[in-house]
Amino acid sequence: MKIECIALDLDRTTLDGEGHLSKGNRQALLQAIANGIHVIVASGRAFATLPEEIISLPGIEYAVTGNGAAMYHVPTGKCLHRYLLEEKDVAAIMEATQREPVAYEAFIDGVAYAGWEYVENPQAFGATPQAVEYVRKTRHRTENIQAFIMEHKKELDSMDIIVGDEECKEKVWRLAAQCAENIYVTSSVRQLIEIAHKNAGKHSGVKYFMERLGLKREQVAAFGDADNDVDMLSFAGCGIAMENASEKCRAAADYVTKHHTEDGVAYGLREILQVI
């Protein structure tokens, strides 16, 4: 069946090593759109943190954000559907994890919030040097992120727990999973535990737009690189992992394209899907 829709992860997939949309990928996406292909952003990012060079691309209508926590109409910035975290789950997660050596991020109405100490020095919490500028530009600083989360526990699209090492990550993930019943937990990079409502997941967001567009799974292809893309690649009629993808992501994919720094999305559109 002909591919009619492409779902695109951003970081380390569509974006290059500097976090920008390369000329090659941009041209390929514009050509795909001109050929009638629906292009959906599918990101772990909050809506307000999506790159301008992506959301201003003519023809991109929809975005799955927060790992499927909130779905947006890109041109208007209107949230079409969201799954808020349940208040009791937020409270339980905070109670179970706040004594661990972690930091937090909270996402409300498409806006990202983080503690002052994390925004000041993201690398101290495990962020890569390339991510520092992104964190500082996109996070609204709060003096006490734990108190902020508890104050807004009824309003959270999703939340992140930032961990320092793999041992801490395993422990905190287990604590969160044990104390909260209605959550979806995933990870896009080694220092993040990303938590949304149990009905979220990028696959859920893609399914929402697929039904809105009147398409079947067989007509949808998806590109990704990380563990938080696994469900989306498994759900799509054609899942494509980047050369730089995690083992779980590659295992879930039907095909592997070139590295994200080598215009892997453009290569996939042209050589694998043959839609441009």
Side-chain angles (χ1 to χ4, degrees), residues 131-274:
V132 171
E133 182 181 5
Y134 163 69
V135 169
R136 289 177 176 167
K137 281 186 174 181
T138 59
R139 269 51 182 170
H140 290 238
R141 308 179 191 206
T142 65
E143 289 294 337
N144 187 332
I145 187 62
Q146 294 183 13
F148 179 87
I149 288 173
M150 291 303 294
E151 181 183 350
H152 297 276
K153 60 182 182 292
K154 296 181 181 180
E155 307 166 50
L156 297 187
D157 292 334
S158 58
M159 62 184 291
D160 291 347
I161 304 178
I162 304 152
V163 297
D165 55 53
E166 194 60 37
E167 182 178 350
C168 181
K169 185 175 187 177
E170 291 178 4
K171 179 181 180 181
V172 172
W173 191 309
R174 183 175 64 254
L175 289 172
Q178 288 174 345
C179 73
E181 298 178 356
N182 300 304
I183 60 171
Y184 166 85
V185 188
T186 190
S187 182
S188 59
V189 290
R190 60 179 178 79
Q191 76 273 15
L192 288 185
I193 298 173
E194 298 159 69
I195 302 172
H197 188 271
K198 67 177 181 180
N199 290 337
K202 290 187 180 183
H203 69 294
S204 178
V206 171
K207 183 175 184 289
Y208 172 81
F209 285 123
M210 180 189 79
E211 293 174 349
R212 187 181 180 93
L213 293 167
L215 300 175
K216 299 178 179 179
R217 287 175 59 179
E218 293 78 13
Q219 295 173 292
V220 179
F223 289 77
D225 77 291
D227 290 1
N228 67 326
D229 297 312
V230 168
D231 57 12
M232 178 174 70
L233 267 60
S234 298
F235 173 79
C238 181
I240 302 176
M242 311 308 292
E243 183 182 319
N244 50 283
S246 69
E247 290 184 12
K248 290 181 180 179
C249 187
R250 290 170 70 102
D254 299 294
Y255 299 95
V256 176
T257 188
K258 289 187 176 182
H259 199 279
H260 77 111
T261 60
E262 299 176 336
D263 292 349
V265 166
Y267 180 86
L269 293 174
R270 183 174 61 250
E271 303 297 334
I272 298 174
L273 299 177
Q274 298 182 355

Side-chain angles (χ1 to χ4, degrees), residues 32-101:
I33 292 167
N35 290 346
I37 304 296
H38 298 283
V39 177
I40 298 172
V41 173
S43 179
R45 295 191 185 206
F47 184 75
T49 73
L50 297 179
E52 179 64 25
E53 55 197 319
I54 291 290
I55 62 174
S56 64
L57 202 66
I60 292 189
E61 291 182 277
Y62 301 118
V64 176
T65 68
N67 291 312
M71 279 58 77
Y72 282 84
H73 179 243
V74 172
T76 62
K78 180 182 179 181
C79 184
L80 301 174
H81 190 72
R82 61 165 30 103
Y83 299 107
L84 292 179
L85 279 165
E86 296 190 12
E87 179 182 0
K88 63 181 178 63
D89 286 333
V90 175
I93 290 168
M94 296 304 295
E95 173 63 26
T97 64
Q98 62 186 347
R99 287 173 290 278
E100 302 299 326

